[in-house]
Amino acid sequence: MEIIGLIIAGIIIGLLGKFVAPGTRDNTPLWLTLLCGIGGVLLGYWVSGLLGVENTAGIDWLRWIISIILAAVLVVAASTLTGRNDRAVR
């Protein structure tokens, strides 16, 4: 059940990360956005654990914000590395 939750969270966080990522000409495919979202969730959980915010009462808003920021960074990096935006390194 955790795998399904991770995939669903990865889709949501990946799309949120794509939404907050800078640039309007980004056409990263959905599967890559999903992978960036899953990576953002996993890294967000890890970073929040390092910061000591993993065991809070209620919804861990800080952990989700960290995950969205990391997913946005991963989406921008994937878009740049795959050459799918105008800012790609040539």
Side-chain angles (χ1 to χ4, degrees), residues 5 12 24 28 32 40-41 58 70 80 83 89:
I12 294 168
T24 57
T28 307
L32 189 55
V41 169
L70 289 172
T80 302
V89 179

Side-chain angles (χ1 to χ4, degrees), residues 11-81:
I11 291 170
I12 294 168
I13 296 296
L15 292 175
L16 285 172
K18 190 172 186 171
F19 178 71
V20 299
T24 57
R25 306 228 20 180
D26 182 27
N27 59 355
T28 307
L30 185 61
W31 65 269
L32 189 55
T33 302
L34 170 71
L35 290 179
C36 292
I38 291 173
V41 169
L42 292 175
L43 287 174
Y45 274 43
W46 181 68
V47 169
S48 67
L50 291 177
L51 296 175
V53 296
E54 62 189 18
N55 295 323
T56 58
I59 299 173
D60 294 327
W61 291 110
L62 188 57
R63 181 174 61 188
W64 290 112
I65 291 170
I66 292 170
S67 296
I68 292 169
I69 292 170
L70 289 172
V73 169
L74 291 175
V75 166
V76 169
S79 175
T80 302
L81 291 175

